[in-house]
Amino acid sequence: MGIYLNPGNMGFKGIINGDYIDKTGLIAHINNTINKSSYKMTCFSRLRRFGKSFAAKMLCAYYDKSCDSRELFEGLEISKDLSFEEHLNKYNVIYLDITRFTSFAENLREVVKTIQSKVIGELKEAYPEYVADDEKVLGEAMASVSSKTGEQFIFIIDEWDAIFRESKNDSILQKEYLQLLRGLFKGGTATDGTIAAAYMTGILPIKRYGTESALTDFREFTMVRPHFLVPYLGFTEDEVKRICEENNMDFNEMKSWYDGYYFKNIGSVYNPNSVMSAVRNRSYCSYWTSSETYESLKNYIAMNFDGLKDAVIAMLGGQRQRINPLYFQNDLTSLKNKNNVLTLLVHLGYLSYDEDSRKVCIPNLEVRDAFEMAVQDAGWDKVGEAIADSEDLLEATINGDSEAVENALEEIHSAKTSILKYNDENSLACAVSIAYYTAERYYEVYRELPTGKGFADLVFIPHKNTNRSAVIVELKYNKTADSAIKQIKERRYEGKLKTYEDNLLLVGVNYDRESTAKKHSCVIEKFEK
């Protein structure tokens, strides 16, 4: 076994010795690509802490010919697949964790040369008679081994995009790195006989120049389009429900904190690291954002692109924003407009993308925490103050203090941001959602919830095992707060909240733009049967 050539199965052994959720079905998909010249190269990009390295180590353990991994995979999903025996421990594996090279390099400009020399060195040790002493080209060394032995390689690259993230302004190094990858994976007679399959994983999709991918032989699976690999993107909802049942954890609270990445054909996908951290610590909080720096988020949302600030504030208020991910160049420097920044935030995990509507939103409480910090540090003082004061507003609402609610809404209306200069009920709804920002920590918050004979603007349903009141909020524009309360009663919005009829508040809010004062008004009533 080596570090890069045939690293063995110890990495995966350590993983399954812990709380392992079976994702070995991914192996069957990679098996299906082996020696298929048109699609044997796979790039599966996804978020930090979403199991990328786990998957890479799993693939190493399965394919590596230097070890016997049958016992590790017994009883797991892949062991039931028809391809299991055919490919188990049958290949030379070359495993590269690119962050290993970038972290320890004294000179990043030497990284590409170092990658080649390290792997060639191990090939020379394993096959001294087939690799020339002066060989400096990795592809040639591998081709020589394959031609003499008939053995093929499977390439597994973890954090493939580390060079683009850590040397984002060094175009010379990036081009040299891409040239190495092209040389290794470009289709042709030598590659077809040498490489049986390749699997790359990272955060960013493959760099694009215009509409063309820099590595055209790779099939891509991304946070925008994971296609049929979506079950291996993170934890599915069924998996999280099972984890909660086995560990006596509240599924609804788990969902509030770590759900929000939604994909058609499978539904919700959860952050694996955060879910398991919550289970181990018996506590829900921002595990993912605490493992990252929010400096990057702060820097991106502070960019002076037209409409970007308004879009972020609208999403803080629960709204969605349309993007076109096709215009993103898949790097950290070619950011020219709001669309590019929002698409980048999808790939970084700060936003969730709905492929059908092409809209993005802030996915969950964990990520909202990061936005809250970033907004406060980005100099958006009024918005930051509104978020900071939202706890007091929520308590004022629960206590029936309508005057305090009116004053709080006045404060947020004073924010010097166009999205909060109301011109309709949607703008009012955005402002009210930001004002009640804290509510998501204690409630399931629904916007435009179908109830009774219509749609309630905002509904707060308490998390289980709490004694908080449920709340229905109806918004009016240029009318009266009393008319909002009247509409709640007439349309029987409380119909879906029968469980909370003894502890339910009705809140009517109106903004009267036509009056001289241009004031908010609020009425709060306790529901009576």
Side-chain angles (χ1 to χ4, degrees), residues 237-252:
E237 187 148 291
D238 286 342
E239 289 168 341
V240 174
K241 283 181 178 178
R242 187 168 67 251
I243 291 168
C244 288
E245 289 172 2
E246 291 172 353
N247 293 277
N248 195 28
M249 299 287 285
D250 185 343
F251 169 73
N252 290 322

Side-chain angles (χ1 to χ4, degrees), residues 197-212:
Y199 176 88
M200 295 199 313
T201 187
I203 297 172
L204 295 174
I206 293 172
K207 167 71 179 168
R208 289 165 56 199
Y209 295 99
T211 59
E212 186 73 10

Side-chain angles (χ1 to χ4, degrees), residues 109-120:
R109 280 291 178 88
E110 298 294 317
V111 164
V112 174
K113 185 185 297 184
T114 301
I115 291 173
Q116 297 207 79
S117 66
K118 291 290 188 182
V119 181
I120 291 172

Side-chain angles (χ1 to χ4, degrees), residues 272-390:
N273 179 72
S274 298
V275 168
M276 298 313 297
S277 294
V279 169
R280 285 191 291 269
N281 295 324
R282 314 297 299 175
S283 175
Y284 304 97
C285 63
S286 298
Y287 296 105
W288 182 64
T289 51
S290 66
S291 69
E292 307 299 311
T293 172
Y294 69 92
E295 285 296 322
S296 57
L297 174 62
K298 182 185 73 174
N299 292 337
Y300 292 132
I301 68 173
M303 286 181 169
N304 192 28
F305 293 131
D306 184 43
L308 178 59
K309 185 176 181 180
D310 289 354
V312 171
I313 293 175
M315 288 188 293
L316 288 170
Q319 297 184 13
R320 296 171 177 263
Q321 296 292 302
R322 183 177 292 275
I323 65 169
N324 188 338
L326 297 178
Y327 291 107
F328 180 53
Q329 297 302 301
N330 298 346
D331 63 31
L332 303 177
T333 57
S334 304
L335 303 175
K336 299 177 181 178
N337 51 46
K338 174 185 74 173
N339 182 81
N340 291 163
V341 174
L342 297 183
T343 305
L344 172 60
L345 293 181
V346 172
H347 291 296
L348 295 179
Y350 290 112
L351 295 177
S352 175
Y353 176 70
D354 184 309
E355 188 175 353
D356 287 336
S357 66
R358 288 194 173 188
K359 289 184 177 182
V360 294
C361 65
I362 298 172
N364 52 45
L365 280 174
E366 184 172 43
V367 179
R368 283 170 71 87
D369 274 358
F371 270 93
E372 180 181 342
M373 292 188 294
V375 163
Q376 290 170 344
D377 280 0
W380 301 4
D381 295 339
K382 290 293 184 181
V383 178
E385 289 170 11
I387 291 173
D389 292 342
S390 61

Side-chain angles (χ1 to χ4, degrees), residues 46 75 79-80 139 170 319 397 434 436 468 478 486 520:
R46 44 189 160 146
S79 67
K80 303 175 182 66
D170 193 338
Q319 297 184 13
T397 304
I434 293 173
Y436 281 105
R468 287 180 171 269
N478 289 338
K486 182 179 180 181
H520 299 80

